[in-house]
Each structure stands twice: as C-alpha cells, then as structure tokens.
Amino acid sequence: MTTAVSPLLTRLAAERATGALLRDRGTLFLEDGRVVHAESPSTPGLDVLLTTGGGLAPERWKEAVDEAGGRRQVARFLVDSGGLADGELEICHLAAIFDAAFFALSPGSGPSRFRRGATHWIGSVRSVPAEAVERETRRRRELLDAVWPYPLLDISPVVPRPAAPGQTVTARQRILLGQADGVRTPADLAWVLGRPAFHTLLDVRRLAAAGLVETPRTRPVPLPAAPLPDWITESQSPDVALLRRLRDALEASL
C-alpha cells in the first residue's frame, strides 16, 4: 500500500472539505475536496508564469487583480476581457498547482493546518483531484533522484562548468546556463525565467548529471532574512507563528 504524501489532505478530500491547507512551504486551496489552487514561496506564482514565462502583459495582470480580486474572479476577468484564452490560462494554472504542491507537500514542510472556508482571489479555473496531486508529487520526487540524486543542488547556487568537446547543449539548457551566475539558486532562476520551479530543479539536476553544473558537497551559507511574501489570501487573520515559519522556509529555499 502506498503511503499518503499528506494524510490530512487525503482526509480532507474524503470529507469534500473547502478551505486552505497550510504548511510551512505552501498552501493548497480546496473546494469540495478537490485542489483548486496552490501557492508556495518556493515557486513563481501564476502571475510570473503568465507574464514572464507567457504572453500576458504585466499591466493586464494588475488590471485583473485590481478589478476582480475583491470578487475572487481574477481568472474569469482575464478571459472575459480578452487578456488570455481559456486554454492558456488553464495550462498555466495547472502548472502552478502541481509546482506549488510539490514544495508544499515536501517532507519536513512542518505541521499542517486547515482553515475552513478560506478561498483564493484567483477564482475558479479548474480543479484537480487530491489523489492526482499526491501521485504527481510522489512521481516528481522519484524523478529528481533518478536523474541525479544530489538534493543539495536544489538549494545551492548554480555554478556552470564548460562543456566537453563535442558535448551538446540544448537551447533550453543554454538559456538557463546564461542566467546562472554562480549566485542564483534554482529557485532564483525559476523566477528570472518565468518557469515552474520543479522543472528548473529537473533541468539543473540533468545539467549536473551531464557535468555542465557543479554538484555541491556542502550546504550553502544561509542568506540574510527576506521579507515575508504576500501570498496567503484568506478571510481570517494570519497566524503570527505560522508566518514566522513561512519566513524561515523561504530563507531556507533561497
């Protein structure tokens, strides 16, 4: 029998619960037991995927948040106003869900809490069964280790190495290596490139396996404290202790 990635998520799905499942490294929003959105300070949000990585102008995103955020209908506004096609929004939204869930449900992500009734201002796009989210999270963990089992790569600065004579570098890898300055971590590169953080981790591990990126042997020195991200949206007041844990998790992921 396969062990659940998050026993609480499994139970909430069975109860058809609606609300926000909060952990140190992210939040999953549920509606009738299905995952409708997810966010993590370790990953670029839907806004970055659409504006930096996609074709949406930043001012169109800001307009949607200003006009429809209070009604929790940002997604609907983007489509109705002609800013995005339904399919483009749905693809980016699913990528954001699975990306954030991978980090939110990671081992050592701290205790889980559930805020019943909490909703997200993005509004309705598409829901995903909790079982599918857990299954994909598990698959991604296994894939990373199968490619190159050195998890320190995920939190360390990406240090490029010269290619061997005749070694092929893909266009996607060339773009990533062009932004790797020996200081940026995979998370930093994901934000700069507007790519999902997991896909960036996978790219970096593949580059390390090919000898095109240094594989670190010791943990990096923690960076100074960063301000808390404004990514939790719910009706209740935030828990101060929780926010402190989120800050610590963000610092550890940089």
Side-chain angles (χ1 to χ4, degrees):
M1 181 177 177
T2 303
T3 303
V5 172
S6 169
L8 179 55
L9 176 59
T10 300
R11 179 163 63 84
L12 293 169
E15 294 175 359
R16 299 177 61 87
T18 294
L21 173 61
L22 295 93
R23 303 192 78 200
D24 284 354
R25 297 189 70 186
T27 298
L28 274 63
F29 291 86
L30 281 70
E31 185 175 310
D32 293 330
R34 293 170 65 92
V35 179
V36 294
H37 193 60
E39 292 186 341
S40 169
S42 301
T43 67
L46 181 60
D47 57 334
V48 177
L49 297 183
L50 288 172
T51 58
T52 303
L56 182 70
E59 56 268 22
R60 295 302 296 273
W61 174 266
K62 183 178 184 303
E63 178 191 14
V65 174
D66 290 344
E67 294 291 332
R71 305 193 308 272
R72 285 164 163 70
Q73 294 182 6
V74 171
R76 189 73 263 152
F77 183 91
L78 284 169
V79 174
D80 290 347
S81 65
L84 281 175
D86 262 323
E88 184 180 1
L89 175 62
E90 187 172 301
I91 289 171
C92 282
H93 184 248
L94 284 175
I97 286 178
F98 286 117
D99 200 34
F102 173 78
F103 293 92
L105 299 177
S106 63
S109 187
S112 300
R113 299 184 56 164
F114 188 63
R115 297 282 177 86
R116 293 193 180 274
T119 58
H120 193 275
W121 45 260
I122 194 65
S124 176
V125 181
R126 180 177 176 179
S127 64
V128 182
E131 180 183 357
V133 172
E134 288 213 345
R135 183 170 59 248
E136 178 62 12
T137 297
R138 191 179 297 110
R139 185 191 73 83
R140 292 184 177 203
R141 291 179 189 171
E142 294 169 354
L143 179 57
L144 284 177
D145 285 341
V147 168
W148 194 242
Y150 292 91
L152 282 180
L153 277 162
D154 302 345
I155 58 173
S156 301
V158 179
V159 181
R161 298 179 62 186
Q167 188 173 16
T168 301
V169 180
T170 68
R172 179 181 175 87
Q173 290 173 331
R174 193 175 299 112
I175 292 171
L176 188 152
L177 289 170
Q179 294 293 337
D181 55 4
V183 176
R184 292 185 175 122
T185 65
D188 297 329
L189 291 171
W191 283 82
V192 169
L193 298 171
R195 296 178 182 177
F198 170 78
H199 294 164
T200 307
L201 294 184
L202 188 59
D203 287 339
V204 170
R205 290 216 195 185
R206 283 174 173 158
L207 287 166
L212 294 168
V213 160
E214 294 280 355
T215 297
R217 304 299 175 182
T218 58
R219 294 186 68 85
V221 177
L223 294 174
L228 282 170
D230 181 23
W231 58 271
I232 297 180
T233 304
E234 56 190 9
S235 56
Q236 298 94 334
S237 299
D239 183 283
V240 174
L242 174 64
L243 291 178
R244 287 173 177 164
R245 292 199 302 273
L246 289 171
R247 179 197 61 196
D248 294 340
L250 177 60
E251 292 169 6
S253 70
L254 294 176

